[in-house]
Amino acid sequence: MTENFSIKSLFEPSDYNINQALDYCISDFLAQSDEVGCFNKQEIDNFFSTLKIPENTANMDDYIKDIKEIIIPMCSHLANPSYLGHMTSPLPWFIPQIGRLIQSLNQNMVKMETSRGLTLLERQLLRLLHQEIFHFNDDFYFDVNKDFSKTTGIFTSGGTMANLTAMWGAVSQVKQSGVNKIAVIGSELMHYSFDKASSLLGVELYRIPVDHQNQIVVTELEQQIKKCRAEGMTIAALVAIAGTTDFGSIDPLHQIAELGRKYHIHVHVDAAWAGAFILSKQHVSLLSGLERADSVTIDGHKQMFMPIGTGMLFFKDPQFSQNIVHTAPYAVRRASLDQGRFTLEGTRPANMLYLHACLHLIGKNGYDEIFSVALNNIKILAKHIQENPCFELLNDPKINILSYRYIPRIFRNKMMTPEDNIIINHFNYQLQKEQRNKGKSFVSRSIRKFSQHDNQELVFLRVVILNPNVNEEHMVYMLEDQIEIAKQLESYLMAAS
Ligand SMILES: *Cc1c(COP(=O)(O)O)cnc(C)c1O
């Protein structure tokens, strides 16, 4: 220990202005708008591999210096408008301060004894969004408000946990009738959280092909339902996706709801990405049919501009929450009001205060405007890609996710053979890696079968536009960066052929 240091001082107010010190580091980082940051894995790993647990408490100035010089340079510039590749958004300025509030209060939402009235606020916030999704009348919510044995939904740490909880509930529901061969069915574009759920719950997961619009082929879904039934399996849930991770496509929600009704199967909609559109007057129609789902996942940390660690799951019928009730005698008792009765997670922060803040400070009109900007931007980008012979647009973006690939010159204006596509795949793989390493702009990369290419697996580039600061200039800058890198790669390609 350093001299005169008392451990108690850590728990007393300090006159060290840590806010100012950190603000200084962070604003520097956020102001670096010109590049998204180079990343040398080896160098960084070598550096961190010498990390040790210190014996003594460090001096705060030294520690802040470490943050500035070591931690912050490692971070991804997610707020940079040329960073167009992932579902992580820049945050409104007030969010870090709400975070400070949440962490200073350090309430534990698992039980009322550790969160008092915030448990009731959490239930009311869930009720508000529940009404936006399912549109029940005020009488319904009057009854719901009085019945603490159920819940309209839960907060989770993200979409994965929400999907997992939904599958857990659906599987528990069918298990009550003593079945053992259980299946879940959705499209091939289902998020991999459903693979995790199927593995954890020990159920079969069936992935049904999608059509050229990247929507599940409903006739094949029905075939699979019949096939499972014929084989003596019980289907716990049909999964529809509202905003696929690769293309942003929205499954035919009405038709899937119809199948659910016809065969008495739980319908879950994974609206982790597009669910936020419920708050938008202009774009809510994209989600037509969502109100017919039995459960719905929405991520707060995607299009709701809440920070990482916020997901939600809603139950059309609050009775469904009984399938996941777990209680403990020392707390989280059955007759309590504790939200921990319904959550897979235990100790949990009061992250719903971010939702409370966003609903008040962004508001429905604010969300409307943000989504309009993003959806307009994606159309502009699609046009640039379509008009440029260097690129092939691979989806007609209905929402703010777009897929395309670069076509090297020697393959343009000809019928591409499967062998050509293998070379183009490799080319796009290299292109995305080079672009990431160069660090001026960023898009992500994935691989999928494409019906317009005889179901061949193609490597593609993926753009997600969420950041309200993105404009045409940033998108053109990103494409030009790509073309410049591609020209270099093409010269190697020419040399090799
Ligand atoms: C992001 C996403 C998920 C997973 O959510 P996390 O918050 O990353 O756990 C699941 N499904 C879809 C459609 C998503 O977009």
Side-chain angles (χ1 to χ4, degrees):
M1 298 263 161
T2 44
E3 236 178 295
N4 298 331
F5 174 80
S6 135
I7 198 72
K8 278 193 183 164
S9 69
L10 288 181
F11 301 89
E12 286 160 1
S14 157
D15 51 17
Y16 191 98
N17 199 340
I18 192 165
N19 280 337
Q20 194 181 4
L22 285 179
D23 277 352
Y24 177 65
C25 307
I26 296 165
S27 56
D28 249 20
F29 170 73
L30 294 177
Q32 289 169 27
S33 57
D34 229 340
E35 49 179 289
V36 295
C38 285
F39 189 80
N40 183 330
K41 257 189 276 187
Q42 197 55 49
E43 216 171 87
I44 293 169
D45 195 45
N46 289 345
F47 189 82
F48 283 143
S49 60
T50 56
L51 201 63
K52 289 196 189 73
I53 300 178
E55 294 289 332
N56 295 320
T57 53
N59 169 293
M60 191 51 96
D61 283 333
D62 293 343
Y63 188 67
I64 297 283
K65 190 159 171 280
D66 273 7
I67 291 180
K68 184 172 170 58
E69 290 173 5
I70 303 170
I71 307 290
I72 290 187
M74 305 292 161
C75 295
S76 289
H77 286 249
L78 304 175
N80 183 305
S82 301
Y83 186 102
L84 297 168
H86 284 302
M87 294 179 153
T88 316
S89 67
L91 297 172
W93 67 271
F94 58 83
I95 288 289
Q97 302 312 319
I98 302 297
R100 202 162 79 82
L101 174 76
I102 293 170
Q103 278 154 29
S104 304
L105 301 172
N106 203 31
Q107 302 290 292
N108 183 353
M109 300 308 296
V110 73
K111 53 184 182 276
M112 214 170 162
E113 286 176 359
T114 51
S115 61
R116 293 187 77 186
L118 293 193
T119 285
L120 303 176
L121 175 59
E122 186 172 80
R123 288 178 62 91
Q124 291 305 330
L125 287 169
L126 289 163
R127 191 256 309 161
L128 288 177
L129 292 191
H130 188 278
Q131 193 159 18
E132 294 296 323
I133 301 169
F134 299 109
H135 316 297
F136 285 115
N137 62 24
D138 292 340
D139 289 345
F140 174 88
Y141 294 103
F142 182 78
D143 294 338
V144 160
N145 278 342
K146 283 189 306 191
D147 184 357
F148 286 95
S149 69
K150 299 168 193 151
T151 185
T152 54
I154 56 167
F155 272 87
T156 65
S157 62
T160 297
M161 290 303 281
N163 284 338
L164 181 53
T165 307
M167 293 303 102
W168 180 32
V171 168
S172 302
Q173 181 164 262
V174 297
K175 273 190 175 166
Q176 281 161 14
S177 42
V179 298
N180 50 15
K181 280 163 64 187
I182 301 175
V184 168
I185 317 176
S187 93
E188 61 180 312
L189 295 178
M190 263 187 297
H191 188 263
Y192 72 114
S193 50
F194 292 97
D195 296 298
K196 295 179 185 175
S198 122
S199 161
L200 273 164
L201 295 164
V203 303
E204 278 308 316
L205 186 68
Y206 292 97
R207 288 179 174 273
I208 305 300
V210 293
D211 61 18
H212 62 285
Q213 299 271 26
N214 300 302
Q215 296 176 306
I216 193 167
V217 179
V218 176
T219 49
E220 294 207 29
L221 173 60
E222 184 162 16
Q223 285 304 316
Q224 187 62 49
I225 294 172
K226 289 181 180 158
K227 195 154 168 271
C228 284
R229 292 253 162 114
E231 288 167 6
M233 298 191 96
T234 304
I235 301 155
L238 305 179
V239 177
I241 315 166
T244 59
T245 321
D246 287 310
F247 308 106
S249 48
I250 297 173
D251 278 330
L253 302 179
H254 282 290
Q255 291 178 46
I256 297 172
E258 205 47 49
L259 284 182
R261 197 190 54 79
K262 180 171 168 190
Y263 292 94
H264 303 286
I265 305 171
H266 182 96
V267 172
H268 174 69
V269 178
D270 179 3
W273 176 254
F277 293 161
I278 57 165
L279 294 172
S280 153
K281 284 193 202 85
Q282 290 181 66
H283 309 294
V284 68
S285 58
L286 289 164
L287 298 174
S288 175
L290 186 67
E291 68 285 355
R292 298 175 67 182
D294 296 302
S295 56
V296 174
T297 288
I298 300 181
D299 252 337
H301 56 214
K302 289 179 180 163
Q303 302 210 67
M304 287 178 119
F305 295 86
M306 293 159 66
I308 288 172
T310 48
M312 289 163 273
L313 173 65
F314 298 91
F315 312 122
K316 181 174 197 169
D317 181 355
Q319 178 68 25
F320 183 78
S321 60
Q322 300 310 295
N323 295 310
I324 52 175
V325 165
H326 283 257
T327 57
Y330 63 92
V332 199
R333 298 175 195 99
R334 181 165 282 275
S336 69
L337 310 188
D338 303 341
Q339 279 299 94
R341 291 169 297 164
F342 312 110
T343 54
L344 187 49
E345 287 155 280
T347 293
R348 194 166 54 77
N351 281 347
M352 88 303 178
L353 289 176
Y354 292 120
L355 175 62
H356 189 260
C358 287
L359 291 178
H360 283 85
L361 299 171
I362 298 176
K364 281 191 172 182
N365 289 337
Y367 280 114
D368 226 16
E369 200 174 321
I370 292 173
F371 300 150
S372 296
V373 168
L375 295 179
N376 190 45
N377 269 333
I378 211 91
K379 286 205 188 87
I380 294 171
L381 179 63
K383 193 157 171 284
H384 275 284
I385 289 172
Q386 242 166 347
E387 287 172 356
N388 192 328
C390 298
F391 299 112
E392 178 186 358
L393 187 66
L394 288 169
N395 77 323
D396 166 23
K398 294 280 189 284
I399 60 167
N400 40 355
I401 299 180
L402 177 148
S403 298
Y404 67 108
R405 60 179 185 158
Y406 187 90
I407 307 291
R409 182 165 300 132
I410 51 172
F411 299 110
R412 287 177 210 159
N413 306 317
K414 75 180 275 259
M415 278 294 291
M416 281 173 266
T417 65
E419 292 72 27
D420 293 346
N421 275 326
I422 290 171
I423 300 172
I424 301 171
N425 277 353
H426 187 68
F427 190 95
N428 279 275
Y429 170 82
Q430 286 293 341
L431 174 59
Q432 193 268 348
K433 262 179 68 171
E434 287 289 323
Q435 187 177 18
R436 190 181 62 197
N437 290 345
K438 188 172 161 196
K440 278 178 72 176
S441 62
F442 178 81
V443 299
S444 54
R445 153 172 55 84
S446 186
I447 182 164
R448 284 281 173 201
K449 288 181 193 150
F450 283 84
S451 54
Q452 66 266 45
H453 286 277
D454 283 338
N455 277 327
Q456 187 172 0
E457 287 205 317
L458 300 184
V459 171
F460 62 91
L461 306 167
R462 170 175 166 270
V463 168
V464 181
I465 295 187
L466 183 56
N467 187 341
N469 293 320
V470 172
N471 60 34
E472 189 165 1
E473 232 170 273
H474 301 114
M475 298 186 287
V476 169
Y477 175 83
M478 183 281 290
L479 290 178
E480 281 172 355
D481 189 24
Q482 243 164 19
I483 291 170
E484 193 181 305
I485 298 165
K487 287 224 167 98
Q488 277 251 302
L489 294 174
E490 273 181 316
S491 60
Y492 302 143
L493 191 68
M494 298 292 273
S497 65

